[in-house]
Amino acid sequence: MSYRYFEEYDINVTEKLRNNFKQVLEEVEEDPQREGIVKTPERAAKAMQFLTQGYNMDAEKILTDALFTESYDEMVVVKDIEIYSLCEHHMLPFFGKAHVAYIPNGRIIGLSKLPRLVDVFARRLQVQERLTHDILECLNKVLKPQGVAVVIEAQHMCMMMRGVQKQNSVTTTSGFRGQFEKIETRSEFLKLISSDLR
């Protein structure tokens, strides 16, 4: 069977949001009946549900569903995980990359679960600092590894298209637990995420 794209939305929530977005258009003196905008309130309602779907996802369960016993005890790094989130202050996007690593302590997780974990927390109204912390603490709690590291680099539309309007600014946040609190281990991780090994 060929790929089929499917999204599901709560009808009641969609209708409430649609009415709210229609009112926003009216308040900024746009005609909600104009041809190019007549379906915008419904589209925006569905987009908002998609962009905040992380509230309805269980991050810990995503990890526990793919835990495996394994003796490997060296660093596992998944870098350049794309992030798209909404700033909770202005509800404007911020986007960039997350780099996540852990050192197993008898258990590993399926590699695809790290990007999924990132998405669960990114698909909420967020600040980059809390996003970094949420990913770090969830991994640390569920895996109980020897160490966890998270670095996020992102650009914020609230700084680029409004406010200070700085187009080239990039915000970097980081968090480290366990073995990554040691300078040697942290340095190895930072070197790995800045290298192009391809």
Short mmCIF file of all heavy atoms in Angstrom, two decimals, residues 14-39:
data_model
loop_
_atom_site.label_atom_id
_atom_site.label_comp_id
_atom_site.label_asym_id
_atom_site.label_seq_id
_atom_site.Cartn_x
_atom_site.Cartn_y
_atom_site.Cartn_z
N THR A 14 -11.73 21.87 17.30
CA THR A 14 -11.50 22.53 16.02
C THR A 14 -12.50 23.67 15.81
O THR A 14 -12.12 24.77 15.39
CB THR A 14 -11.60 21.53 14.85
OG1 THR A 14 -10.62 20.50 15.04
CG2 THR A 14 -11.36 22.20 13.51
N GLU A 15 -13.75 23.42 16.13
CA GLU A 15 -14.78 24.45 15.94
C GLU A 15 -14.56 25.65 16.86
O GLU A 15 -14.68 26.80 16.44
CB GLU A 15 -16.17 23.84 16.17
CG GLU A 15 -17.33 24.79 15.91
CD GLU A 15 -17.39 25.33 14.47
OE1 GLU A 15 -16.78 24.72 13.56
OE2 GLU A 15 -18.02 26.38 14.27
N LYS A 16 -14.21 25.39 18.11
CA LYS A 16 -13.94 26.49 19.05
C LYS A 16 -12.76 27.33 18.58
O LYS A 16 -12.81 28.57 18.58
CB LYS A 16 -13.67 25.94 20.45
CG LYS A 16 -14.90 25.40 21.16
CD LYS A 16 -14.51 24.81 22.50
CE LYS A 16 -15.71 24.15 23.17
NZ LYS A 16 -15.32 23.48 24.43
N LEU A 17 -11.68 26.65 18.19
CA LEU A 17 -10.50 27.37 17.72
C LEU A 17 -10.79 28.11 16.42
O LEU A 17 -10.31 29.23 16.23
CB LEU A 17 -9.33 26.39 17.52
CG LEU A 17 -8.68 25.83 18.78
CD1 LEU A 17 -7.68 24.74 18.43
CD2 LEU A 17 -8.00 26.94 19.58
N ARG A 18 -11.57 27.49 15.54
CA ARG A 18 -11.92 28.13 14.27
C ARG A 18 -12.62 29.46 14.53
O ARG A 18 -12.29 30.48 13.91
CB ARG A 18 -12.82 27.21 13.43
CG ARG A 18 -13.09 27.74 12.02
CD ARG A 18 -14.16 26.92 11.32
NE ARG A 18 -15.48 27.18 11.89
CZ ARG A 18 -16.21 28.28 11.65
NH1 ARG A 18 -15.74 29.24 10.87
NH2 ARG A 18 -17.39 28.44 12.19
N ASN A 19 -13.58 29.46 15.45
CA ASN A 19 -14.29 30.69 15.78
C ASN A 19 -13.35 31.75 16.37
O ASN A 19 -13.47 32.94 16.07
CB ASN A 19 -15.43 30.40 16.77
CG ASN A 19 -16.55 29.62 16.11
OD1 ASN A 19 -16.78 29.73 14.90
ND2 ASN A 19 -17.27 28.83 16.89
N ASN A 20 -12.41 31.30 17.20
CA ASN A 20 -11.45 32.23 17.80
C ASN A 20 -10.53 32.84 16.74
O ASN A 20 -10.25 34.05 16.77
CB ASN A 20 -10.62 31.52 18.88
CG ASN A 20 -11.44 31.19 20.11
OD1 ASN A 20 -12.46 31.82 20.38
ND2 ASN A 20 -11.02 30.18 20.85
N PHE A 21 -10.05 32.01 15.82
CA PHE A 21 -9.17 32.53 14.77
C PHE A 21 -9.93 33.46 13.83
O PHE A 21 -9.38 34.45 13.34
CB PHE A 21 -8.52 31.39 13.99
CG PHE A 21 -7.33 30.79 14.68
CD1 PHE A 21 -7.34 29.47 15.11
CD2 PHE A 21 -6.19 31.55 14.91
CE1 PHE A 21 -6.24 28.92 15.76
CE2 PHE A 21 -5.08 31.01 15.55
CZ PHE A 21 -5.10 29.70 15.98
N LYS A 22 -11.19 33.16 13.59
CA LYS A 22 -12.01 34.05 12.76
C LYS A 22 -12.14 35.42 13.42
O LYS A 22 -12.04 36.46 12.77
CB LYS A 22 -13.40 33.43 12.53
CG LYS A 22 -14.28 34.28 11.62
CD LYS A 22 -15.63 33.61 11.39
CE LYS A 22 -16.50 34.48 10.50
NZ LYS A 22 -17.85 33.93 10.32
N GLN A 23 -12.33 35.41 14.75
CA GLN A 23 -12.43 36.67 15.48
C GLN A 23 -11.12 37.45 15.43
O GLN A 23 -11.11 38.68 15.30
CB GLN A 23 -12.83 36.41 16.94
CG GLN A 23 -13.06 37.69 17.73
CD GLN A 23 -13.53 37.43 19.14
OE1 GLN A 23 -13.83 36.31 19.52
NE2 GLN A 23 -13.59 38.48 19.93
N VAL A 24 -9.99 36.74 15.50
CA VAL A 24 -8.68 37.39 15.40
C VAL A 24 -8.57 38.12 14.06
O VAL A 24 -8.13 39.27 13.99
CB VAL A 24 -7.53 36.37 15.57
CG1 VAL A 24 -6.19 36.98 15.17
CG2 VAL A 24 -7.48 35.87 17.01
N LEU A 25 -8.97 37.44 12.98
CA LEU A 25 -8.92 38.06 11.65
C LEU A 25 -9.76 39.34 11.61
O LEU A 25 -9.34 40.36 11.06
CB LEU A 25 -9.40 37.08 10.59
CG LEU A 25 -8.48 35.91 10.29
CD1 LEU A 25 -9.16 34.92 9.34
CD2 LEU A 25 -7.15 36.39 9.70
N GLU A 26 -10.93 39.27 12.21
CA GLU A 26 -11.81 40.44 12.24
C GLU A 26 -11.19 41.57 13.04
O GLU A 26 -11.27 42.74 12.65
CB GLU A 26 -13.18 40.06 12.81
CG GLU A 26 -13.97 39.13 11.90
CD GLU A 26 -15.20 38.53 12.58
OE1 GLU A 26 -15.30 38.61 13.83
OE2 GLU A 26 -16.04 37.96 11.86
N GLU A 27 -10.53 41.23 14.16
CA GLU A 27 -9.94 42.25 15.03
C GLU A 27 -8.76 42.96 14.38
O GLU A 27 -8.48 44.12 14.71
CB GLU A 27 -9.51 41.64 16.37
CG GLU A 27 -10.66 41.14 17.24
CD GLU A 27 -11.60 42.25 17.68
OE1 GLU A 27 -11.15 43.41 17.80
OE2 GLU A 27 -12.79 41.96 17.92
N VAL A 28 -8.06 42.27 13.47
CA VAL A 28 -6.95 42.94 12.78
C VAL A 28 -7.42 43.55 11.46
O VAL A 28 -6.63 43.90 10.59
CB VAL A 28 -5.74 41.98 12.54
CG1 VAL A 28 -5.17 41.51 13.86
CG2 VAL A 28 -6.12 40.80 11.65
N GLU A 29 -8.74 43.66 11.33
CA GLU A 29 -9.39 44.32 10.19
C GLU A 29 -9.14 43.60 8.86
O GLU A 29 -8.98 44.22 7.81
CB GLU A 29 -8.98 45.80 10.11
CG GLU A 29 -9.40 46.56 11.36
CD GLU A 29 -9.12 48.05 11.28
OE1 GLU A 29 -8.79 48.53 10.18
OE2 GLU A 29 -9.23 48.71 12.32
N GLU A 30 -9.16 42.27 8.93
CA GLU A 30 -9.11 41.44 7.72
C GLU A 30 -10.51 40.89 7.48
O GLU A 30 -11.28 40.70 8.42
CB GLU A 30 -8.10 40.30 7.92
CG GLU A 30 -7.94 39.36 6.74
CD GLU A 30 -7.57 40.06 5.44
OE1 GLU A 30 -6.39 40.36 5.22
OE2 GLU A 30 -8.50 40.31 4.63
N ASP A 31 -10.85 40.69 6.23
CA ASP A 31 -12.17 40.17 5.87
C ASP A 31 -12.13 38.64 5.88
O ASP A 31 -11.53 38.03 5.00
CB ASP A 31 -12.56 40.67 4.47
CG ASP A 31 -13.89 40.10 4.01
OD1 ASP A 31 -14.58 39.44 4.83
OD2 ASP A 31 -14.23 40.29 2.82
N PRO A 32 -12.77 37.98 6.88
CA PRO A 32 -12.71 36.52 6.96
C PRO A 32 -13.47 35.82 5.82
O PRO A 32 -13.37 34.60 5.67
CB PRO A 32 -13.35 36.21 8.32
CG PRO A 32 -14.14 37.40 8.68
CD PRO A 32 -13.52 38.58 7.99
N GLN A 33 -14.19 36.58 5.01
CA GLN A 33 -14.91 35.99 3.87
C GLN A 33 -14.12 36.14 2.56
O GLN A 33 -14.57 35.65 1.52
CB GLN A 33 -16.29 36.65 3.72
CG GLN A 33 -17.19 36.45 4.93
CD GLN A 33 -17.35 34.99 5.31
OE1 GLN A 33 -17.57 34.14 4.45
NE2 GLN A 33 -17.22 34.68 6.60
N ARG A 34 -12.97 36.79 2.64
CA ARG A 34 -12.15 36.94 1.43
C ARG A 34 -11.71 35.57 0.95
O ARG A 34 -11.41 34.67 1.73
CB ARG A 34 -10.94 37.84 1.75
CG ARG A 34 -10.11 38.18 0.53
CD ARG A 34 -9.19 39.37 0.80
NE ARG A 34 -8.19 39.14 1.82
CZ ARG A 34 -7.06 38.46 1.61
NH1 ARG A 34 -6.79 37.93 0.43
NH2 ARG A 34 -6.18 38.32 2.59
N GLU A 35 -11.67 35.39 -0.37
CA GLU A 35 -11.42 34.08 -0.98
C GLU A 35 -10.20 33.36 -0.40
O GLU A 35 -10.27 32.17 -0.07
CB GLU A 35 -11.24 34.25 -2.50
CG GLU A 35 -11.01 32.93 -3.22
CD GLU A 35 -10.77 33.13 -4.71
OE1 GLU A 35 -10.43 34.26 -5.13
OE2 GLU A 35 -10.91 32.15 -5.44
N GLY A 36 -9.09 34.05 -0.27
CA GLY A 36 -7.87 33.40 0.20
C GLY A 36 -7.86 33.11 1.69
O GLY A 36 -6.99 32.39 2.17
N ILE A 37 -8.83 33.67 2.42
CA ILE A 37 -8.82 33.57 3.88
C ILE A 37 -10.02 32.80 4.43
O ILE A 37 -10.01 32.39 5.58
CB ILE A 37 -8.75 34.99 4.48
CG1 ILE A 37 -7.35 35.54 4.23
CG2 ILE A 37 -9.04 35.01 5.97
CD1 ILE A 37 -7.10 36.88 4.84
N VAL A 38 -11.01 32.54 3.60
CA VAL A 38 -12.25 31.96 4.11
C VAL A 38 -12.02 30.63 4.85
O VAL A 38 -12.72 30.31 5.81
CB VAL A 38 -13.30 31.81 2.97
CG1 VAL A 38 -12.90 30.71 1.98
CG2 VAL A 38 -14.69 31.57 3.53
N LYS A 39 -11.02 29.85 4.44
CA LYS A 39 -10.74 28.57 5.12
C LYS A 39 -9.60 28.68 6.13
O LYS A 39 -9.26 27.70 6.79
CB LYS A 39 -10.41 27.49 4.09
CG LYS A 39 -11.61 27.10 3.24
CD LYS A 39 -11.27 25.94 2.33
CE LYS A 39 -12.50 25.53 1.51
NZ LYS A 39 -12.19 24.42 0.59
#
